[in-house]
């Protein structure tokens, strides 16, 4: 991984991502699929950290699985790793500008735990799975986004998931779904 210093691209301090597997035909390289900027866990005013999701086993010298936090100087794991590959990240405030905080959501392949993908929220320094999809190992979660369908109106934002799938948490949906904090439903129907 590299960073722009205002003049040129330079390697990130603390090392980059390490490959999940080595060798094979053509080898295997670490992949970063998605990024999100979040408030630092220390709560320091104005400090932001970069969250990186992808297919890797370590970030710098920190063992992690598919997800790591970069504070500008060093890497750290985010809770107990359970993703085999993170394919989407977003920040979402499920109650809008209310009492609850904006939280980080991640989606990706769960590896040996389940054959499909899952979506989890990072809360109290640990991940909590909010949805799973076990329809097919070829199904794919490509994006997560927070969307407020009525803007400043009374409805809270929904978490939107897009990709290639036909169900999530037992709900029949096709490639695009929304979560209102308690259930998944098709977008627009």
């Amino acid at each position: 991984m590299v960073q722009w210093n205002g003049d040129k691209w330079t390697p990130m301090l603390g090392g980059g991502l390490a490959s999940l597997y080595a060798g094979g035909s053509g080898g295997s390289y670490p992949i970063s699929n998605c990024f999100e900027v979040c408030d630092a866990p220390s709560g320091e005013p104005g400090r932001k950290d970069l969250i990186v999701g992808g297919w890797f086993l370590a970030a710098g010298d920190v063992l992690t699985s598919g997800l790591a936090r970069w504070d500008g100087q060093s890497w750290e794991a985010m809770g107990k790793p359970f993703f085999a590959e993170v394919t989407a990240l977003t920040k979402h405030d499920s109650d809008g500008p209310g009492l609850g905080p904006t939280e980080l959501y991640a989606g990706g392949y769960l590896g040996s735990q389940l054959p499909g993908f899952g979506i989890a929220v990072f809360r109290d320094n640990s991940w909590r799975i909010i949805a799973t999809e076990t329809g097919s190992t070829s199904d794919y979660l490509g994006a997560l986004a927070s969307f407020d369908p009525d803007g400043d109106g009374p409805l809270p934002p929904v978490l939107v998931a897009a990709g290639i799938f036909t169900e999530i948490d037992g709900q029949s949906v096709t490639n695009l779904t929304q979560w209102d904090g308690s259930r998944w439903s098709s977008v627009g129907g």
Side-chain angles (χ1 to χ4, degrees), residues 165-177 184-186:
F165 50 86
T166 57
E167 66 91 13
I168 191 165
D169 270 358
Q171 294 286 98
S172 180
V173 295
T174 303
N175 303 333
L176 187 64
T177 185
W184 292 94
S185 62
S186 293

Side-chain angles (χ1 to χ4, degrees), residues 30-127:
I31 300 169
S32 53
N33 292 325
C34 48
F35 303 93
E36 187 64 69
V37 175
C38 292
D39 291 332
S42 64
E44 293 174 44
R47 188 180 135 208
K48 303 287 185 183
D49 287 351
L50 177 67
I51 312 303
V52 179
W55 187 46
F56 51 87
L57 182 60
D61 61 358
V62 176
L63 291 178
T64 185
S65 182
L67 197 62
R69 179 188 296 269
W70 172 252
D71 67 6
Q73 298 297 317
S74 61
W75 292 102
E76 68 180 75
M78 294 186 64
K80 180 181 177 188
F82 65 88
F83 282 107
E85 179 182 8
V86 173
T87 57
L89 290 169
T90 196
K91 295 181 287 192
H92 176 66
D93 188 348
S94 60
D95 68 351
L99 298 175
T102 298
E103 297 173 306
L104 180 67
Y105 288 75
Y109 296 105
L110 298 172
S112 63
Q113 293 183 27
L114 290 169
F117 65 79
I119 299 171
V121 59
F122 192 65
R123 185 176 293 150
D124 299 323
N125 290 318
S126 64
W127 290 99

Side-chain angles (χ1 to χ4, degrees), residues 8-22:
K8 62 182 176 182
W9 291 101
T10 60
M12 293 177 81
L13 299 173
L17 304 177
S19 183
L20 187 59
Y21 300 106

